[in-house]
């Protein structure tokens, strides 16, 4: 048995309080004190993974190196901790039930009645301990999705209760993140909703060890005392989490509040060392004190919910800081772009990013945006579908293949410059069947990509079914769009560029997933650099 300590993070009162950011901030502080930490998210929905969810439902689908399609919180974990997550870091009710039902069909339960308790809760506990049992982590932080009181969270809360009992106080604790609303009319912060949500947890046999209180205003000592008294915690275990200017301030705010110290004390762990936040704070300083500014148009079809592009906007923040530049995003709905308005809508932008996506809604606008960037020599970055649209635009308007398209949108098109991958032709199921996760790519020297990466060998994460059709490679290259990144085994084109353009790069993969505070993604850094040059 490993000595891993477990921290459970639950949420009370409302959703969207930022459990993921609190978990990531605590993990960061513990990591910078020298502990090995990972974070896991348990999602109470019945989908096996968010891969089949429309981005409007839950925002972006994040992808790990080992090809898991996950909740966007895993992106925060990686951006904060700078270490990769994996399949084991995101568990859903769908996955839990799937394994229990598969076992039942195999007869593993030997004629017993299969029930939520113990079979579902045992499977939840097994999934929680998979990470701890690797022996790689001193501390595993498990974030329970949803809000305490939701029917679908009950088996998770029960599993937490059992684990607290099995592991003992020194090895497992609960942090309850809650909201302290401010009533302007009364001029008061209110503790009652928190009292109720803690009571609700207690009805399930779980008594939180630490309260983290989201608030718009400073919480006084009196309020802390009151919360402590009514919620069964010590006053020093009531931690304020005041609204921050940026999510990247939260580790410092939690440090000032002593969240990491309180946690270590509960575990009887000592650490002489204070968290080492030098590089983190250099990033923050540059982020908050930019010396210049660029504006980037983000062309996508899910822009009503900006969380759909979470990793891209965070990658802009990392790359902006590294260029000491403020990156302003101009959100443009691809469906809204027409020949008549495009000039107006894109006037003054210093760079254009055409976003990933699926299906044909808004496709024409994406193609027009590529053309605008290409013809007006504005830095262009195409990601996944954005890269495919760049290939189509170039084939149509430069190569003269007027009917060039992708078979995703036009099954019968005459010149399928983007085509379904051979390996996808037999695939009938939607979930988890794309080309997913990290694949190698060889980068040609003398390319913008090489210039950015400073390496000929890279590995990036993918999530797609369609690809550059190599039957057109020669024609497209001789017309001036070069394939500068290729999968060494399959020959699949991963990067395309126009060498005569100031910065025109399309990538079949998703570089945004690998951008972190400590390692801003080289292509984003270079794209912002090019935009900065354009702005001058
Ligand atoms: N729809 C395209 C494909 O499946 C692009 C996917 C994406 O942008 N992630 O290939």
């Amino acid at each position: 048995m490993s000595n891993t300590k477990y921290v459970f993070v639950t949420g009370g009162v409302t959703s969207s309080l930022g459990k993921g950011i609190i978990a990531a901030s605590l993990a960061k502080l513990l990591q910078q004190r020298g502990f090995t930490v990972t974070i896991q998210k348990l999602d109470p929905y019945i989908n096996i993974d968010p891969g089949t969810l429309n981005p409007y439902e839950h925002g972006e689908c994040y992808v790990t190196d080992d090809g898991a399609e996950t909740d966007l919180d895993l992106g925060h974990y990686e951006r904060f901790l700078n270490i990769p997550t994996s399949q084991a870091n995101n568990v859903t009710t769908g996955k839990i039930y799937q394994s229990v039902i598969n076992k039942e069909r195999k007869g593993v339960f030997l004629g017993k009645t299969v029930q939520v308790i113990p079979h579902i809760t045992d499977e939840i506990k097994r999934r929680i301990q998979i990470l701890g049992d690797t022996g790689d982590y001193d501390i595993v932080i498990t974030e329970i999705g949803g809000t305490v009181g939701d029917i679908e969270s009950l088996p998770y809360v029960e599993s937490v209760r059992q684990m607290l009992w099995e592991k003992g106080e020194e090895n497992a604790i609960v942090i309850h993140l809650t909201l302290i609303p401010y009533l302007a009319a009364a001029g008061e912060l209110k503790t009652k909703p928190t009292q109720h949500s803690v009571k609700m947890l207690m009805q399930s046999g779980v008594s939180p060890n630490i309260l983290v209180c989201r608030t718009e205003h400073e919480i006084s000592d009196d309020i802390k005392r009151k919360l402590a008294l009514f919620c069964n915690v010590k006053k020093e275990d009531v931690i304020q989490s005041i609204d921050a200017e940026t999510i990247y301030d939260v580790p410092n705010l939690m440090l000032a509040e002593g969240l990491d110290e309180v946690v270590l004390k509960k575990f009887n762990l000592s650490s002489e060392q204070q968290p080492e936040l030098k590089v983190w704070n250099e990033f923050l300083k540059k982020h908050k004190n930019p010396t210049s500014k660029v504006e980037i148009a983000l062309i996508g079809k899910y822009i009503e919910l900006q969380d759909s592009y979470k990793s891209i906007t965070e990658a802009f923040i990392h790359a902006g800081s590294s260029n000491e530049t403020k990156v302003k995003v101009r959100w443009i709905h691809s469906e809204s772009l027409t020949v008549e308005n495009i000039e107006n809508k894109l006037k003054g932008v210093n760079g254009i990013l055409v976003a990933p996506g699926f299906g044909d809604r808004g496709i024409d606008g994406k193609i027009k945006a590529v053309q605008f960037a290409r013809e007006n020599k504005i830095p262009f970055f195409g990601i996944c579908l954005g890269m495919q649209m760049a290939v189509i635009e170039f084939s149509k308007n430069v190569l003269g293949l007027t009917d060039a398209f992708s078979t995703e949108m036009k099954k019968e098109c005459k010149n399928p410059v983007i085509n379904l991958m051979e390996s996808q032709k037999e695939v009938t199921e939607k979930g988890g069947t794309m080309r997913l996760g990290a694949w190698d790519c060889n980068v040609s020297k003398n390319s913008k990509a090489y210039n950015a990466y400073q390496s000929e060998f890279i590995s990036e994460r993918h999530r797609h079914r369609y690809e550059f059709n190599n039957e057109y490679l020669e024609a497209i290259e001789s017309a001036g769009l070069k394939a500068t990144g290729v999968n060494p085994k399959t020959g699949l084109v991963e990067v395309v560029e126009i060498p005569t353009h100031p910065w025109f790069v399309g990538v079949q993969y998703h570089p945004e997933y690998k951008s972190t505070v400590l390692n801003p993604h080289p292509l984003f850094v270079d794209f912002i650099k090019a935009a900065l040059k354009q702005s001058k």
Side-chain angles (χ1 to χ4, degrees), residues 356-359 383-385 388 408 463-466 508 510:
F358 295 84
I383 298 183
C384 206
L385 185 68
Q388 298 175 353
E408 179 177 5
R463 184 171 185 251
H464 66 122
R465 294 189 202 279
Y466 294 81
Q508 184 58 75
H510 290 263

Side-chain angles (χ1 to χ4, degrees), residues 374-434:
R374 184 177 55 75
E375 292 178 349
N376 294 289
K377 303 236 178 259
I378 298 169
F380 166 82
F381 199 2
I383 298 183
C384 206
L385 185 68
M387 171 267 200
Q388 298 175 353
M389 291 308 116
V391 173
I392 291 171
E393 192 281 325
F394 190 87
S395 306
K396 278 182 188 296
N397 299 329
V398 181
L399 196 55
L401 299 175
T402 46
D403 51 2
F405 226 95
S406 161
T407 51
E408 179 177 5
M409 293 89 197
K410 265 194 200 147
K411 272 220 160 45
E412 309 300 332
C413 87
K414 277 227 197 70
N415 283 299
V417 290
I418 302 294
N419 208 357
L420 190 64
M421 277 180 283
E422 205 46 50
S423 56
Q424 287 285 326
K425 292 196 172 145
E426 303 299 308
V427 173
T428 50
E429 297 213 340
K430 286 271 181 275
T433 54
M434 282 187 244

Side-chain angles (χ1 to χ4, degrees), residues 9 83 90 111 178 225 240 269-270 334 369 438 482 520:
V9 180
I83 52 169
N90 196 189
T178 173
R225 221 170 279 127
Q240 159 184 295
L269 289 173
S270 59
S334 50
K482 307 283 180 198

Side-chain angles (χ1 to χ4, degrees), residues 366-378:
K366 288 192 170 174
I367 297 177
K368 286 192 184 83
V370 176
Q371 183 176 10
F372 188 86
R374 184 177 55 75
E375 292 178 349
N376 294 289
K377 303 236 178 259
I378 298 169

Side-chain angles (χ1 to χ4, degrees), residues 38-39 62 64-66 74 77-78 83-87 89:
T38 189
I39 318 174
Y62 187 75
T64 60
D65 278 331
D66 65 352
L74 272 81
Y77 307 162
E78 289 203 13
I83 52 169
T85 53
S86 69
Q87 297 275 358
N89 292 72

